[in-house]
Amino acid sequence: PIPCVPWQSQLWTLAVTQLRRYKMTIPRLPGHFTGTGDLLSALLLAWLHIDQGDLKSAIEKSIASLQAVLRRTSPGAELRLIPSKRDIENPSIAIPAIPLD
């Protein structure tokens, strides 16, 4: 995933393989958060394994989990992972990954 354009109200995430390309438009949450790239990478790796390589499902679940964690976290504070356990394990998909093919 490649997040970009951080100064606007939205972020775009691209998920690309040799066979598939997806884009997600994500609302930018106010504040600065540390560790989001590490968390997104870990979530994506886990969901790709669980969903047997389904990139669309994995990126949607990863972003949904990340957004839930960030909504619980005060800007500048440590990510609230433990209180977000349910959202990490069973994310509610609110933003679809749009195919770019």
Side-chain angles (χ1 to χ4, degrees), residues 11-61:
L11 300 172
W12 291 276
T13 294
L14 301 175
V16 180
T17 68
Q18 291 178 340
L19 302 175
R20 303 219 181 337
R21 296 179 300 153
Y22 295 98
K23 175 183 174 184
M24 295 181 72
T25 302
I26 306 159
R28 181 172 185 248
L29 300 177
H32 177 77
F33 301 93
T34 301
T36 56
D38 292 336
L39 179 57
L40 181 58
S41 296
L43 290 166
L44 185 57
L45 181 63
W47 284 116
L48 280 169
H49 176 73
I50 292 167
D51 290 343
Q52 300 178 357
D54 182 342
L55 181 61
K56 182 180 188 310
S57 177
I59 194 67
E60 288 174 339
K61 290 175 182 177

Side-chain angles (χ1 to χ4, degrees), residues 7-8 10 44 77 88 96:
W7 59 87
Q8 295 185 356
Q10 297 178 330
L44 185 57
I88 291 170

Side-chain angles (χ1 to χ4, degrees), residues 62-95:
S62 298
I63 292 295
S65 296
L66 179 60
Q67 290 281 296
V69 170
L70 293 181
R71 284 190 180 96
R72 277 195 188 85
T73 303
S74 298
E78 186 174 314
L79 295 178
R80 309 256 314 151
L81 297 174
I82 302 302
S84 302
K85 182 179 184 290
R86 287 186 185 164
D87 292 309
I88 291 170
E89 294 176 338
N90 188 24
S92 177
I93 309 301
I95 304 168

